[in-house]
Amino acid sequence: MKKLLEINNLVKHFPVVGGVFSRPIGWVRAVDDISFHIFEGETFGLVGESGSGKTTAGKTIIKLIEPTKGQIIFNGIDITKFGENKIRPLRREMQIIFQDPYGSLNPRMPIGEIIKEPLMVHNIGDKKEQEERVVEIMKLVGLRPEYLRRYPHEFSGGQRQRIGIARAVVLNPKFIVADEPVSALDASIQAQVLNLLLELQQKLALTYLLVAHNLAVVRHVSDRIGVMYLGKLVEVAETKELFKNPLHPYTQALLSAIPIPDPEIKKERILLQGDIPSPINPPSGCRFRTRCRYAKDICKESEPPLVDVGSGHYVACHFVKEGKVVEYSK
Ligand code: ADP
Ligand code: MG
């Protein structure tokens, strides 16, 4: 399988400024050395609590924000150091869909114009061709073309997300970062929008990075899943494998929070103690240790690397060896 994206040791730190001179007095370590890849045509789900660095990772990968360190290889090209001029033609191929479609759609623009805008920015086609393309895309995402003169506020939340999706696919991109695309929608609408994303993936040969704070959302649409905690990737595996054999205590806790419909199956709910620590001053060693029920001295002293425990299952925990959790003594 071809890797469309390769992320090596990606770091994004934001300065914390303070004092009268607005000097950096610290750093928010939003993304702190993560490595993974995304195969062409797959959906890679990225999950973790709010504040774990998912949005920062998604935006840095497509260079909407500049990485602090590390390497981003897109379609075989190292784009890490690309400036605005060199990245511009690639912007066509990398798009983003936001959580809040209302906030990201210009309320004073008819939706036909919103969807057409990327074509104008990239100078694609003449006026007539652009209009035809808008109609074609509206049909594709399930919006009635006769509504193209209406404004965003005239649509429901689900339809607005379709407008956001239309704008993201109008340039025929290869790769889309979908950042919590259904988090603001009712459960019944969530499934419709996720199904639309899957349908478009088939029709348009798209590759997705699907960001969500909820594992249940990514489960049915992701081929593989990465779990983030406080700027780090703690586990990566194929979706089936992750649900069958979660190895990181954080993943186990996230999974235990998903309700199972079968009342016969009893499972233990693992409660995470306390809040996620601040990424300005993360815990030493393993960042999860302050909330981990298995934490030992070693977890404070050294940071566990993300290691392959077999068949593409990666985990960063001192207590996982050869795909098994060992040495846990409660
Ligand atoms: P998530 O999407 O997982 O909720 P984010 O990537 O939005 O996480 O944020 C990760 C951390 O980085 C948070 O602590 C957030 O406050 C911080 N952060 C995000 N963007 C900025 C920014 N532009 N400046 C400073 N801190 C930021
Ligand atoms: Mg986010």
Side-chain angles (χ1 to χ4, degrees):
M1 267 185 293
K2 185 188 160 195
K3 291 175 187 169
L4 184 64
L5 259 161
E6 235 183 296
I7 308 301
N8 296 317
N9 307 101
L10 189 69
V11 173
K12 179 66 197 184
H13 291 176
F14 295 107
V16 185
V17 291
V20 276
F21 301 110
S22 294
R23 274 197 290 249
I25 51 169
W27 297 91
V28 182
R29 293 154 75 170
V31 171
D32 216 8
D33 193 353
I34 63 171
S35 301
F36 67 104
H37 53 266
I38 305 180
F39 293 115
E40 190 159 49
E42 83 168 337
T43 298
F44 188 93
L46 194 59
V47 298
E49 279 163 290
S50 175
S52 54
K54 307 179 300 294
T55 295
T56 304
K59 285 185 173 170
T60 310
I61 285 166
I62 57 171
K63 297 256 299 171
L64 284 180
I65 47 186
E66 286 300 309
T68 304
K69 253 195 267 178
Q71 190 185 42
I72 306 157
I73 297 172
F74 176 75
N75 211 10
I77 306 165
D78 184 342
I79 62 167
T80 320
K81 300 239 153 57
F82 274 25
E84 203 38 54
N85 277 339
K86 278 180 110 175
I87 203 80
R88 195 168 303 128
L90 284 170
R91 290 248 175 268
R92 279 185 69 172
E93 307 193 346
M94 305 185 287
Q95 294 289 319
I96 187 163
I97 301 168
F98 295 100
Q99 164 173 3
D100 169 19
Y102 204 44
S104 60
L105 303 176
N106 184 341
R108 281 179 289 276
M109 244 195 207
I111 67 155
E113 296 298 311
I114 291 176
I115 299 169
K116 191 168 75 179
E117 200 177 30
L119 296 171
M120 295 173 68
V121 169
H122 287 271
N123 243 321
I124 294 159
D126 58 26
K127 198 162 176 285
K128 185 164 163 284
E129 284 162 346
Q130 289 175 350
E131 275 158 15
E132 283 166 1
R133 177 72 176 156
V134 168
V135 168
E136 179 190 13
I137 290 295
M138 285 181 74
K139 286 186 191 154
L140 190 66
V141 302
L143 289 165
R144 295 170 61 171
E146 52 270 38
Y147 290 168
L148 64 84
R149 284 190 188 78
R150 297 194 180 184
Y151 291 84
H153 74 263
E154 297 177 72
F155 294 88
S156 68
Q159 286 172 320
R160 283 203 285 261
Q161 196 50 291
R162 288 176 196 267
I163 301 166
I165 292 170
R167 187 178 54 182
V169 298
V170 72
L171 293 171
N172 210 5
K174 281 196 172 65
F175 176 61
I176 294 181
V177 174
D179 190 358
E180 310 252 11
V182 300
S183 301
L185 304 174
D186 292 343
S188 58
I189 312 291
Q190 288 192 353
Q192 291 174 15
V193 172
L194 288 174
N195 282 335
L196 171 65
L197 288 174
L198 283 182
E199 207 184 295
L200 292 176
Q201 182 167 49
Q202 295 299 317
K203 285 185 184 157
L204 307 175
L206 294 167
T207 302
Y208 292 134
L209 176 72
L210 176 62
V211 171
H213 60 270
N214 183 343
L215 255 175
V217 163
V218 293
R219 177 174 196 170
H220 298 290
V221 287
S222 301
D223 299 290
R224 290 187 305 135
I225 292 177
V227 180
M228 270 190 94
Y229 184 80
L230 216 53
K232 295 277 180 191
L233 261 180
V234 298
E235 188 159 7
V236 178
E238 285 185 7
T239 305
K240 259 202 204 122
E241 166 72 7
L242 190 84
F243 277 80
K244 207 173 68 194
N245 188 26
L247 293 172
H248 198 283
Y250 180 57
T251 312
Q252 292 173 352
L254 288 182
L255 281 182
S256 81
I258 300 179
I260 12 179
D262 187 347
E264 296 284 301
I265 304 172
K266 284 223 167 40
K267 65 173 182 182
E268 185 195 0
R269 173 85 195 258
I270 306 167
L271 287 174
L272 287 176
Q273 304 145 18
D275 292 329
I276 188 165
S278 162
I280 297 173
N281 192 12
S284 65
C286 173
R287 290 185 184 188
F288 184 59
R289 70 174 166 82
T290 55
R291 299 168 81 193
C292 182
R293 53 186 187 154
Y294 304 114
K296 289 271 181 342
D297 286 346
I298 183 177
C299 308
K300 194 189 275 185
E301 289 150 15
S302 83
E303 185 181 324
L306 189 71
V307 292
D308 189 348
V309 293
S311 29
H313 191 155
Y314 300 80
V315 61
C317 174
H318 287 302
F319 296 120
V320 176
K321 304 252 153 44
E322 282 140 21
K324 282 196 196 72
V325 183
V326 294
E327 288 179 41
Y328 274 173
S329 47
K330 293 185 200 175

